[in-house]
Amino acid sequence: RTRAGHPDSTAPTARYAPTPATVVNTGETVRVDVGAGDTLVVDGVPYALLQFHFHHPSEHTLDGKRYPLELHFVHRAADGRLAVLGTFADTGATNAAYQEMLDAMPPAAGEVRTTAQPIAPSTLLGLTDLSRERLFRYQGSLTTPPCSEIVTWLVRAQVLRLSPAQVRRLEAALGFDARPLQRAWGREIRVHEP
């Protein structure tokens, strides 16, 4: 759950380029595996982008609101620690950046498909400069078993917009695949203000 905390003086940065992508229907979520080369830097530590996936509904809230979808861009450092960039998605206009991925989305659990064109994470995120965005940051766990406490969470205040049809298509593929909202349990939630 995101809430106001202490200002975060260290701005994370991201370098994303178009990448080959494989869309996997795991039976629990839709996961997009990406090629090597995309990087998120947090406190001077580079984390390589591995994949992104979706949750319905969102696993975080913003000002008490739970969104229809949340995307998790999962990154791993050389020492195995993870950094996850979370982004909310709500209904709005059709989002052309997602259509390629939606067109490649396998309908059945266990199926894998490759996108016809490389996917651009920055375009999917609507991202120009992460260091200039409002972000909520905390140390936490994976939201799926074994829920290991190895994750630096960065949750964006900026909300993506997808058409109602695009949201419904993802919701139908995902079902309900969100962890119940958790208490902060004393975790410090820092806010990076641009």
Side-chain angles (χ1 to χ4, degrees), residues 92-177:
T94 298
N95 191 322
Y98 282 84
Q99 203 54 51
E100 171 78 16
M101 189 273 305
L102 288 170
D103 289 344
M105 190 169 66
E111 286 190 41
V112 177
R113 293 186 182 169
T114 301
T115 57
Q117 301 294 326
I119 280 182
S122 290
T123 304
L124 291 174
L125 288 165
L127 182 66
T128 52
D129 184 350
L130 188 64
S131 70
R132 295 182 179 271
E133 288 196 13
R134 188 171 192 233
L135 298 168
F136 302 91
R137 175 179 168 179
Y138 69 95
Q139 294 302 122
S141 66
L142 295 170
T143 64
T144 55
C147 298
S148 308
E149 296 269 347
I150 57 170
V151 182
T152 296
W153 280 96
L154 303 168
V155 181
R156 300 169 75 205
Q158 181 175 326
V159 178
L160 296 175
R161 301 291 171 180
L162 281 72
S163 73
Q166 288 176 317
V167 169
R168 284 194 302 271
R169 188 167 175 191
L170 281 163
E171 287 175 344
L174 299 171
F176 186 98
D177 77 331

